């Protein structure tokens, strides 16, 4: 079976961007791939955060993933810092990563702007640690949103450099994009992102979802009720594509283009459908919160097998580098 690796930061509640852009695909892949999914806490500490809340965030992320349908019996789920080989490999990869490549990374530039008081070396080296996460398990496929494609190009470049310099062979990891490559936030500008606060989280209650969608931006050309709109550029319609039936999507497309329906009608339908879709997820999340051992033991079991595999793979690389 092909090896799949992907990660998610415990930097806030799992949101619809993560869910549609990554997690749905993660679940599908567990059918016929050897999947490893990681809660990347060492990545998350490159942003400002409250240490006392970190364990709760890790728990919430793991429980949310399981509630969305990620089954620890069909894949491995674990916490990055529980497998120290990740940071050890990242150090090694630093030595073959050109500074120029890191300086070109769009995520580094945008995070440097959004957290200008905390531009740390970890933020700069984030894609190297990400490459280590993937290469440590020789993963071939990496399901991600569009924002991570550039980081994967760098991971492939690192693979080529390891090959040229040490004759060490690894698969060049390929991105697997979902249908929703980049869900915009409710502000309609940036991508939906935990740290930007423009999200709908999978545990949001009905009132919150209703209020948030009511205030969300739609097609900017549609200023008045009678103006026709373009669903292709509307973030609300992007969400309809996933949460609504084909009939409802046709209703939204035709109604928007002809101005037969207003943005309010379109939002109301979407709100109902999101609430319905999230109901069973939230019910399972509630059960997991009452039984935290189920979540922590799944994470411990995942870390145990990952650590064995990671240590063996890292040993091989050390040998190729003359470090054994
Ligand atoms: N808006 C999005 N649309 C599609 N995919 C998305 N992903 C994130 N936001 C969107 C994908 O979700 C996976 C996990 O992301 P992450 O938590 O590791 O980091 P991120 O991309 O930086 O997500 P956030 O929410 O924006 O986190 P913060 O604010 O903490 O930086 C990735 O595969 C990502 O592509």
């Amino acid at each position: 079976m092909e090896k799949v690796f992907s990660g998610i930061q415990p930097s806030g509640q799992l949101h619809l961007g993560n869910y549609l852009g990554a997690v749905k695909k993660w679940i599908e892949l567990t059918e016929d791939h050897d999947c490893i999914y990681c809660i990347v806490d060492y990545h998350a500490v490159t942003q400002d955060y409250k240490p006392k809340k970190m364990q709760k965030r890790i728990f919430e992320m793991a429980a949310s993933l399981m509630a969305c349908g990620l089954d620890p019996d069909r894949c491995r789920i674990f916490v990055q810092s529980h497998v120290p080989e990740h940071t050890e490999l990242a150090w090694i990869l630093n030595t073959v990563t050109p500074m120029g490549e890191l300086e070109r990374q769009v995520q580094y530039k945008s995070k440097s702007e959004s957290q200008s008081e905390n531009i740390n070396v970890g933020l700069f080296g984030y894609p190297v640690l990400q490459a280590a996460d993937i290469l440590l398990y020789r993963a071939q496929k990496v399901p991600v949103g569009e924002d991570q494609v550039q980081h994967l190009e760098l991971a492939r470049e690192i693979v080529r450099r390891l090959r040229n310099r040490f004759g060490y062979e690894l698969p060049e990891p390929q991105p697997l994009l979902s249908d929703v490559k980049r869900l915009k936030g409710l502000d309609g500008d940036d991508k939906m992102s935990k740290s930007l606060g423009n999200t709908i989280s999978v545990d949001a209650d009905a009132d919150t979802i209703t209020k948030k969608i009511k205030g969300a931006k739609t097609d900017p050309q549609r200023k008045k009720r009678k103006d026709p709109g373009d669903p292709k550029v509307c973030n609300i319609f992007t969400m309809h594509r996933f949460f609504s039936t084909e009939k409802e999507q046709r209703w939204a497309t035709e109604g928007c283009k002809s101005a037969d329906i207003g943005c309010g009608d379109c939002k109301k339908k979407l709100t109902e459908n999101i609430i319905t879709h999230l109901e069973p997820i939230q019910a399972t999340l509630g059960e997991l919160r009452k039984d935290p051992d189920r979540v922590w033991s799944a994470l411990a079991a995942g870390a145990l097998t990952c650590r064995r595999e990671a240590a063996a793979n890292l040993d091989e690389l050390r040998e190729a580098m003359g470090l054994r």
Side-chain angles (χ1 to χ4, degrees):
M1 277 204 281
E2 277 192 306
K3 182 73 65 72
V4 165
F5 181 96
S6 199
I8 189 157
Q9 298 186 76
S11 46
Q13 284 292 343
L14 186 78
H15 58 72
L16 296 186
N18 301 139
Y19 179 56
L20 302 185
V23 177
K24 259 191 75 230
K25 190 90 188 161
W26 291 14
I27 298 164
E28 272 170 41
L29 287 164
T30 59
E31 299 285 326
D32 47 9
H33 288 78
D34 177 7
C35 297
I36 303 179
Y37 298 123
C38 184
I39 296 175
V40 289
D41 50 351
Y42 276 148
H43 284 286
V45 298
T46 61
Q47 310 181 29
D48 289 327
Y49 72 102
K50 295 200 168 62
K52 281 194 179 139
K53 292 204 170 150
M54 185 50 105
Q55 290 310 303
K56 181 159 189 271
R57 281 188 163 184
I58 290 171
F59 173 84
E60 280 293 313
M61 184 52 74
S64 302
L65 292 172
M66 286 165 68
C68 287
L70 206 65
D71 179 354
D73 289 334
R74 310 191 68 150
C75 64
R76 286 177 267 176
I77 312 175
F78 74 105
V79 180
Q80 187 182 32
S81 66
H82 297 180
V83 180
E85 284 79 5
H86 284 248
T87 39
E88 201 176 340
L89 178 57
W91 176 258
I92 291 176
L93 301 187
N94 275 328
T95 65
V96 294
T97 306
M99 291 281 285
E101 293 285 334
L102 288 180
E103 278 159 357
R104 287 193 313 110
Q105 299 298 313
V106 173
Q107 181 173 300
Y108 169 66
K109 290 186 203 159
S110 67
K111 291 265 170 181
S112 302
E113 275 169 28
S114 64
Q115 56 179 77
S116 56
E117 303 294 305
N118 182 13
I119 307 175
N120 57 76
V121 176
L123 196 63
F124 187 66
Y126 187 113
V128 183
L129 180 56
Q130 189 172 356
D133 299 335
I134 300 161
L135 304 184
L136 195 52
Y137 303 97
R138 302 169 174 274
Q140 289 127 305
K141 289 183 178 165
V142 186
V144 283
E146 202 172 47
D147 55 325
Q148 298 298 322
V149 169
Q150 195 189 23
H151 287 176
L152 273 176
E153 270 166 31
L154 179 64
R156 289 197 294 278
E157 176 59 27
I158 289 174
V159 169
R160 291 191 283 272
R161 283 173 181 253
L162 286 175
R163 185 185 304 138
N164 293 340
R165 184 132 178 238
F166 305 112
Y168 186 72
E169 290 290 342
L170 282 171
E172 292 189 20
Q174 303 298 327
L176 278 183
L177 289 169
S178 78
D179 298 340
V180 182
K181 297 179 185 63
R182 183 181 184 273
L183 185 67
K184 282 193 202 156
L186 301 172
D187 48 16
D189 297 327
D190 293 301
K191 72 161 192 168
M192 188 176 280
S193 178
K194 297 180 221 91
S195 51
L196 296 177
N198 57 4
T199 65
I200 295 179
S201 64
V202 295
D203 77 335
D205 60 32
D207 274 357
T208 308
I209 297 172
T210 309
K211 270 190 214 128
K212 286 197 166 187
I213 294 195
K214 225 178 216 171
K217 286 243 182 86
T218 54
D219 174 3
Q221 300 302 322
R222 204 171 179 198
K223 294 196 175 71
K224 296 193 198 104
R225 167 70 178 76
K226 62 178 174 41
D227 294 339
D230 179 2
K232 277 197 231 109
V233 299
C234 179
N235 202 29
I236 295 295
F237 187 72
T238 307
M239 290 189 259
H240 266 299
R241 274 180 36 223
F242 178 71
F243 292 106
S244 304
T245 61
E246 281 185 16
K247 193 171 164 208
E248 286 164 341
Q249 290 177 44
R250 271 199 305 279
W251 165 83
T253 309
E254 286 155 21
C256 174
K257 282 183 175 166
S258 60
D260 273 356
I261 61 167
C263 292
D265 306 313
C266 193
K267 285 177 169 181
K268 193 161 170 268
K269 185 86 241 143
L270 177 69
T271 304
E272 285 164 17
N273 292 350
I274 292 181
I275 292 170
T276 310
H277 185 95
L278 293 181
E279 255 164 20
I281 293 177
Q282 294 182 355
T284 311
L285 185 54
E287 284 163 24
L288 289 169
R289 281 177 180 147
K290 283 188 209 139
D291 187 7
D293 283 354
R294 233 172 98 196
V295 175
W296 289 118
S297 33
L299 293 174
L304 198 70
T305 59
C306 283
R307 188 143 195 216
R308 263 188 231 125
E309 189 173 332
N313 288 343
L314 189 58
D315 264 355
E316 276 188 22
L317 174 59
R318 281 202 206 96
E319 194 161 330
M321 294 176 72
L323 294 170
R324 269 172 56 116

